[in-house]
Every structure is written in C-alpha cells, then in structure tokens.
Amino acid sequence: MKKTRTYRDAGVDIDAGNEFVKRIKPLVQSTFRPGVHTEIGGFGAAFSLASEHYRSGDALLVTSTDGVGTKLKIAFMTGVHHTVGIDLVAMCVNDIVVMGAQPLFFLDYFATGKLSVDTAVKVVEGIVAGCKEAECSLVGGETAEMPDMYPAGEYDLAGFTVGVVDNERVIDGSTITVGDKIIGVGSSGLHSNGFSLVRKVLFQEGGFSVDDAIEELGGRPLGEELLTPTKIYVKPIQSVIRDVQVKGIAHITGGGLVDNLPRILPDRCQARVFVNSWEPQPIFAFLQNQAGIEQREMFRTFNCGVGLTLICRESETDTVLDRLTGMGEKAWILGEVASRGDDDPAIEFV
C-alpha cells in the first residue's frame, strides 16, 4: 500500500502559514487609514479614493516597487529581523514622495524555503512600523514557502506601494533652471544600497564579524550599524511641499548622487555639488578606508550621507531649510544648478 503524502512532506506547512496570518492580522489592521475597504485574509484589497482629498477628477496614482537587496544577509548574520521591514517600506515610499505623492497603501512579498512564523512576524512588525511612519496602510501581501529555493533561515522581501497626487502638483523637475539651489537632506546611514560591496569588503576580505565593536563607529557593533533602518521622508517632504514650490526631488539610492541627482535635471542643466558642505556619517569613511574606494566611486555606490536632494528657487531656500530642520531633519545647501555645455558632465563635484 502506497504511503499517503501531504504538502508538509514536501516542505510546505499550510498550518504555519495560517498561523502567521492570524498573528499579523492585528498588526496589519493597525495601519489602516480611511479609505481601506478590505479585511486581511481576502484575495485582494480595495481602497476608496473618495475618502481622500483628491476629487478634482485630475488625480494621478503613483506606484513603486522595490526590495531590500543583500542587506538581508546582515539580518541573517545577526538574527535581527525587525528593521528590514522598515527598509522595505522606505525604499518604496521614498520613490513616490519625490513626485509629490502621498502613499496610500502598501503590499509585501515574503518568500522563504521553510516558514519560521516568529521570524516572519518580526519582519512584518518592521513593515508595520514603516507604514505607520509613512502614513500608509498595509493592505495585504503574499507569503511564499518554497522548499529548496532558499537556504535554511533565509528569505527574500519585495514591496509595492501606491500613492496619489493632484496632476497640477506633480513634482517632475521640468521647471528647474540655472541658479536654483540644491538642498541635501541627511540619510540615516547606508540605507539599503551598496551591501554587496559592503559584505565583500568587510566580511569576505576584511575578516570582520557583525559582533565586532568598531572604534571608528564609536564602539558600536558592526551589525547594528549596518542594520540602521532607511529613513522614511514622507512626513517632512509632505510638510514642505504643502507650502513651498519644490521643483524637483531625487531619492539617492543605487547609483548615489552621481546617477540619481541628474535624473531630475532638464537638458542643459548641471548639478554642482559642494563636497565640503556636509560631513557623511563615519561608516562611509570606514568603508572607504577599508577598501580603498575612490571618491567618485563612493558617490556612485553609496548615498554618502545624503538621502534626498530637493531643488528650489534661491528665494525659497531658507523656508525649505527651516521647515526641514524644524521637523528634526539634517538639511543644508548641497549645491546649485548651473548651465551645462555640450561636453560638461551632468554632475560636478566642486
């Protein structure tokens, strides 16, 4: 007589998945804002724009999707899983707030070889914290248990967010002109980019441990420093653009200042960045010294202490700086917009 097989025999535990949903349901519901028309556990989620202040008939939905990348490897090495969920939300919502959009809702994708409910709950706790900071609702997601796809104890994350903005208030950089000022807004550290190089330099070649207390980092354990969550900029940016005409905003992620700041510049405009206008966090100098990375490569791989850049008229600069610093953000004049000739680079560090 043949032995009866179950899905659990193949490594997929449906009961664990159901227990996970049961445990995160109150966490998820705590993020719901007006407009959510759904319950956790359904096949889809619904959100009503009628409850929002976008009734002109000319509102735009703005979307973004992203992941946390190999920063997850640091979470696996340390056993700390409650911060990467914040990173996941941040990487998505920061990409739509730069267009002037208010995030409305968020969905996540959690994939693993064998589901650890405790670990997955920790991750969702971070996602919930990120959603609350961004003032958006976690309306659903997907948990995939796929044996043989991931090493034991590891998982992958992806996120997706939708926001809304009035068409007439979209920030797209089209009005940027020579003489405008570039304002830098501080990052919280590495955020979620460059970790493949970080791991190669520090762990594969440098022989460091995540538990090492690093003198250059004030004695902070290396793993704790590397897992510092990505800053979420929704509240300060929404506060600024409510009263000030910001012409362009760039989220400084993969590609650093070198690739991201020029993305919002019109043709014939160049970003001139004042390299002595700010001091990056010690982690950047530590990495640069360990690996012998050239300065331009640093500016192209890491955010180097700049999480966002805002471009506005010179007359608006003080107002923007006052608003940002008043909300606890580190902000300063990072540079200016100059005329760009045929042979000039899109960005110049001076």
Side-chain angles (χ1 to χ4, degrees):
M1 182 178 180
K2 282 189 176 182
K3 180 180 179 181
T4 301
R5 294 292 186 180
T6 67
Y7 209 179
R8 182 178 293 180
D9 294 331
V12 180
D13 191 340
I14 295 175
D15 292 332
N18 291 337
E19 174 64 20
F20 172 55
V21 173
K22 179 180 178 181
R23 286 179 58 178
I24 66 170
K25 188 173 183 178
L27 295 173
V28 173
Q29 289 175 328
S30 71
T31 71
F32 284 6
R33 59 183 290 156
V36 176
H37 286 249
T38 191
E39 291 291 336
I40 297 302
F43 290 102
F47 190 96
S48 172
L49 288 176
S51 63
E52 296 296 318
H53 303 293
Y54 301 93
R55 302 176 182 176
S56 66
D58 199 20
L60 299 177
L61 293 179
V62 184
T63 67
S64 178
T65 185
D66 211 334
V68 182
T70 62
K71 186 174 185 177
L72 292 177
K73 289 285 190 179
I74 312 299
F76 306 152
M77 294 165 70
T78 60
V80 176
H81 302 282
H82 66 279
T83 60
V84 292
I86 300 174
D87 289 301
L88 182 66
V89 176
M91 294 300 286
C92 294
V93 298
N94 288 343
D95 271 352
I96 67 171
V97 76
V98 301
M99 293 182 63
Q102 169 64 53
L104 296 176
F105 55 84
F106 187 87
L107 297 98
D108 70 277
Y109 175 77
F110 180 98
T112 188
K114 181 174 177 57
L115 180 63
S116 166
V117 174
D118 289 340
T119 296
V121 168
K122 286 293 185 184
V123 172
V124 172
E125 286 175 351
I127 294 173
V128 166
C131 284
K132 287 182 175 179
E133 177 63 24
E135 298 183 325
C136 68
S137 301
L138 176 59
V139 297
E142 169 69 7
T143 305
E145 190 175 19
M146 299 182 288
D148 305 325
M149 284 290 290
Y150 300 92
E154 297 194 3
Y155 53 83
D156 197 11
L157 290 176
F160 178 83
T161 192
V162 173
V164 65
V165 61
D166 279 324
N167 189 22
E168 63 184 20
R169 297 181 66 86
V170 171
I171 300 171
D172 60 9
S174 60
T175 61
I176 293 173
T177 189
V178 173
D180 289 338
K181 296 300 181 181
I182 304 171
I183 293 174
V185 186
S187 69
S188 57
L190 289 168
H191 285 185
S192 298
N193 295 105
F195 275 86
S196 293
L197 181 57
V198 169
R199 292 185 301 106
K200 180 179 178 62
V201 168
L202 298 184
F203 304 120
Q204 297 171 18
E205 297 177 351
F208 287 94
S209 163
V210 291
D211 297 321
D212 288 343
I214 306 300
E215 181 179 353
E216 295 92 330
L217 304 178
R220 191 180 189 189
L222 187 54
E224 182 180 316
E225 173 69 33
L226 297 179
L227 284 177
T228 301
T230 304
K231 182 179 282 290
I232 293 173
Y233 296 99
V234 172
K235 289 179 182 177
I237 296 304
Q238 287 291 328
S239 176
V240 169
I241 65 177
R242 191 174 300 123
D243 302 314
V244 180
Q245 183 188 4
V246 175
K247 295 185 175 185
I249 309 177
H251 184 199
I252 309 304
T253 54
L257 284 165
V258 171
D259 288 347
N260 288 291
L261 183 47
R263 289 168 65 179
I264 61 172
L265 297 178
D267 293 340
R268 298 298 180 181
C269 284
Q270 178 193 67
R272 300 181 77 246
V273 174
F274 307 146
V275 293
N276 294 321
S277 65
W278 84 102
E279 184 176 352
Q281 293 93 332
I283 183 62
F284 297 103
F286 177 68
L287 285 167
Q288 187 172 16
N289 292 335
Q290 288 295 321
I293 307 171
E294 294 183 356
Q295 190 60 56
R296 188 173 179 84
E297 184 67 17
M298 287 292 298
F299 284 139
R300 194 178 188 189
T301 303
F302 304 108
N303 67 63
C304 292
V306 185
L308 285 184
T309 59
L310 289 76
I311 298 180
C312 63
R313 291 191 298 268
E314 184 175 12
S315 60
E316 302 274 23
T317 302
D318 288 343
T319 302
V320 174
L321 290 174
D322 288 345
R323 182 65 60 88
L324 289 170
T325 56
M327 296 191 70
E329 300 297 327
K330 182 179 179 181
W332 67 97
I333 296 177
L334 178 74
E336 63 187 9
V337 178
S339 178
R340 180 186 180 190
D342 292 338
D343 298 324
D344 293 333
I347 185 169
E348 186 175 6
F349 296 91
V350 298

